[in-house]
Amino acid sequence: MEAPGVACGRLLAFLLLLLLLLGRWPGAAAQKLEVLQSQGPESVPAGQTLTLPCTLRGDAVPGGVRWHKGSDRQQPPIYSQKEPFPPRVIRVIPESNTDFTIQITDIRPEDAGTYFCVKYRLRVTGESEEASGAGTEVLVIATPSQPVITAPSGRVAPGSTVAFNCSTGGFYPRDITVTWFKGSSEMKASDTVVLPRGENITYQVWSTVKVQLSREDLMTQLLCRITHKTVVGTLEQSFRLADVLRVPPKVQVETSPPSPVKLNTNVTITCHAQGFYPDETSLNLFDVNNKTEMGKTCPSTQNQDGTFSIKSSLELMATEERNMSAFTCLVEHNSQPPLNGTVTLVIKVQAEESGSPNTLPGSSTNIYIIVAVVCALLVLLVVAVIYFIQVQHKKGKDPTSVRLHESEKASGGMNQDPDPNNVTYADLNFDKSPPKSPPQVADLSQQSEYASIQTGKPAANDDNVTYADLDMVHLSKGPKRPAPRPEQAGSEYASVEVQSK
């Protein structure tokens, strides 16, 4: 049997413990409950472990402890003393009634925010908030996401200006640099905006650049470069400018050989669609009068500048029925309105090929050469005649009459006498006396040509040579008669007057 003194001591100790737990110790003031936690900010690299300390101080009250992210207590807690919590959250001292420090493993950018440690009191109607810590701000040192370039969904023609956007997000701290390049040339952005991303203390950036496109940009890339303190080096994203360009084709239709072509020869009609992009083209070549006769289209080929070319050919015989036939080529590119080209087949007719027998051969150039040669020969002939006359005058000969044309020799032999019936006769009189009758020719042949040159009556001034009378009369064969007189009917007359100096 236990001694009365020992039993009394144990009872006293129990009562003291009960009073201590109930905060009813005589003479001791009730201590207000406090929740202690660091205010931060706590910076932690993404992927690391975050430690959030929390300690209770003061009178204990029945009820649990919870950790909340943000000020909204209606959101599910990230840690609850009496409820299940996420597997990434660990209680540092699970059996402690005053230390509620937790750890969050594999911290992520979305974990950034302000965390509150809250003590709840158990009541009949449920739990109510008894005390809360001041909150710990958590900053996640986050690397920007891979940048993304966005562009218009459709294609535009060269010469158009297009806006491109580059965006990245989920990074911290805020400082970030966005740089644009077109090929190797740096471009200035028209606008760059950095904004918070929702309730998380991470950031997002949008940058815009405007580019005027040209045909040469088919082989050019646009580059967006991101520089951030959490990134070793840079983050880059490229975009092919060819993905927004549309270069229409150039359409040409031709014949081989070129028109006009000879009759009954093989002719190839070819349609070329050249220098287009992208490679989305349909090509149809056909005879306008017979659309069932289609050309054969070859696969497209790529050019050195990045564009494409395609052609279609139609082989046929150049018959008379096909003369002036029209051939059309329709090209549809990248769902755009079709382009077209037309060529007319011209065939030479037979008469043009054989040529006229009376027509001199050669082109018009040859005709001009022949005419020039003939004219030159005539000029030389005239010069020779003038020279012959001058030579005769220099020798002092001034005959009254000169035989200009010997009679043709008889066809029987070389030594026959001249034909007396075929004589060309000239009578030149140069004295200044009044004109007189030409001398009579006693033995004038029955058929002769006669010329008489006589000077007219001199004027008062002897320096003027004023008059020349030329009668050319062809005498038909007949009885002998005197020579014709000057100025008879049917004569040709010319008068030249030269002023003396």
Side-chain angles (χ1 to χ4, degrees):
M1 184 177 180
E2 192 178 63
V6 174
C8 184
R10 288 183 176 180
L11 179 61
L12 181 60
F14 177 76
L15 292 174
L16 291 175
L17 179 59
L18 181 62
L19 291 174
L20 179 62
L21 293 174
L22 296 176
R24 301 300 183 183
W25 179 259
Q31 186 177 7
K32 184 178 179 181
L33 180 66
E34 293 181 332
V35 179
L36 304 178
Q37 65 177 112
S38 63
Q39 293 184 359
E42 298 287 343
S43 297
V44 57
Q48 301 297 318
T49 298
L50 171 66
T51 300
L52 295 174
C54 176
T55 304
L56 300 182
R57 185 174 66 181
D59 295 339
V61 295
V65 175
R66 299 173 186 171
W67 276 93
H68 292 276
K69 180 183 177 183
S71 59
D72 188 0
R73 303 295 189 258
Q74 301 301 320
Q75 296 293 328
I78 65 169
Y79 167 82
S80 176
Q81 185 181 6
K82 297 182 179 181
E83 298 173 2
F85 47 86
R88 290 195 302 125
V89 178
I90 300 172
R91 173 84 182 272
V92 177
I93 308 176
E95 61 277 0
S96 175
N97 292 324
T98 57
D99 191 337
F100 290 89
T101 301
I102 63 172
Q103 289 181 336
I104 303 176
T105 61
D106 189 21
I107 198 72
R108 301 169 184 174
E110 56 266 24
D111 294 331
T114 303
Y115 291 81
F116 296 88
C117 182
V118 182
K119 171 62 178 176
Y120 285 87
R121 177 186 287 271
L122 181 61
R123 301 182 186 277
V124 177
T125 57
E127 289 186 335
S128 62
E129 183 177 332
E130 181 69 16
S132 172
T136 301
E137 182 180 3
V138 175
L139 304 177
V140 179
I141 305 300
T143 302
S145 60
Q146 181 66 26
V148 177
I149 296 179
T150 57
S153 57
R155 294 182 178 271
V156 297
S160 303
T161 300
V162 179
F164 296 88
N165 295 316
C166 179
S167 61
T168 183
F171 59 89
Y172 187 88
R174 186 181 188 278
D175 294 337
I176 193 169
T177 303
V178 182
T179 309
W180 289 94
F181 291 90
K182 180 184 177 184
S184 59
S185 302
E186 183 175 350
M187 301 188 66
K188 183 178 180 181
S190 60
D191 191 18
T192 300
V193 178
V194 180
L195 295 175
R197 184 179 179 181
E199 295 183 357
N200 301 327
I201 307 180
T202 56
Y203 295 91
Q204 188 173 7
V205 64
W206 289 271
S207 182
T208 303
V209 67
K210 294 182 179 180
V211 181
Q212 186 175 16
L213 302 177
S214 64
R215 183 188 180 94
E216 290 73 22
D217 291 332
L218 288 173
M219 307 294 287
T220 306
Q221 288 192 344
L222 192 66
L223 180 70
C224 175
R225 178 176 295 171
I226 302 295
T227 305
H228 191 258
K229 67 182 299 183
T230 62
V231 179
V232 178
T234 58
L235 295 175
E236 296 180 349
Q237 181 63 48
S238 61
F239 184 90
R240 295 175 64 249
L241 294 178
D243 292 342
V244 295
L245 264 174
R246 180 196 300 114
V247 181
K250 296 179 180 179
V251 181
Q252 181 181 4
V253 188
E254 59 186 6
T255 64
S256 179
S259 292
V261 300
K262 294 182 179 180
L263 188 65
N264 297 327
T265 58
N266 293 324
V267 180
T268 301
I269 311 297
T270 306
C271 174
H272 298 274
Q274 299 174 330
F276 58 87
Y277 190 91
D279 187 16
E280 301 174 6
T281 301
S282 63
L283 185 150
N284 293 312
L285 175 64
F286 54 87
D287 187 344
V288 174
N289 298 324
N290 185 11
K291 295 185 179 181
T292 59
E293 193 171 12
M294 306 290 292
K296 181 180 179 182
T297 303
C298 301
S300 61
T301 58
Q302 189 170 15
N303 306 317
Q304 292 184 354
D305 60 356
T307 60
F308 292 87
S309 297
I310 192 173
K311 70 176 182 178
S312 180
S313 300
L314 177 61
E315 296 182 356
L316 49 86
M317 180 69 70
T319 60
E320 292 185 4
E321 293 76 11
R322 292 188 181 275
N323 190 23
M324 302 307 295
S325 296
F327 295 85
T328 296
C329 180
L330 292 180
V331 180
E332 184 175 351
H333 176 245
N334 193 231
S335 302
Q336 298 301 299
L339 303 174
N340 65 80
T342 302
V343 67
T344 301
L345 179 61
V346 180
I347 301 175
K348 292 181 181 179
V349 297
Q350 189 67 28
E352 293 178 349
E353 293 180 356
S354 59
S356 175
N358 296 326
T359 303
L360 292 175
S363 62
S364 58
T365 304
N366 295 333
I367 295 175
Y368 295 150
I369 294 175
I370 293 173
V371 172
V373 171
V374 172
C375 292
L377 292 175
L378 292 176
V379 171
L380 291 176
L381 182 59
V382 172
V383 171
V385 172
I386 295 174
Y387 176 78
F388 175 78
I389 295 174
Q390 290 179 349
V391 169
Q392 293 295 325
H393 280 287
K394 287 180 180 180
K395 290 181 179 181
K397 294 182 179 181
D398 188 15
T400 304
S401 108
V402 179
R403 177 163 296 192
L404 300 179
H405 180 74
E406 294 293 333
S407 61
E408 296 179 357
K409 299 182 181 296
S411 59
M414 297 295 295
N415 299 324
Q416 295 181 358
D417 294 334
D419 187 358
N421 295 327
N422 190 4
V423 178
T424 300
Y425 186 86
D427 188 3
L428 285 77
N429 295 319
F430 291 97
D431 69 43
K432 296 184 180 181
S433 61
K436 62 182 179 178
S437 298
Q440 299 291 328
V441 180
D443 295 332
L444 187 63
S445 65
Q446 295 181 0
Q447 182 176 355
S448 61
E449 293 178 2
Y450 183 85
S452 174
I453 301 176
Q454 297 178 345
T455 59
K457 185 177 181 178
N461 188 358
D462 291 341
D463 295 332
N464 293 334
V465 179
T466 60
Y467 185 84
D469 187 3
L470 287 81
D471 287 336
M472 301 295 296
V473 180
H474 181 77
L475 302 179
S476 60
K477 187 174 183 181
K480 293 183 179 181
R481 58 179 180 177
R485 290 181 173 274
E487 299 182 6
Q488 291 182 353
S491 63
E492 295 178 4
Y493 179 83
S495 175
V496 180
E497 180 175 343
V498 180
Q499 297 288 341
S500 61
K501 295 183 181 180

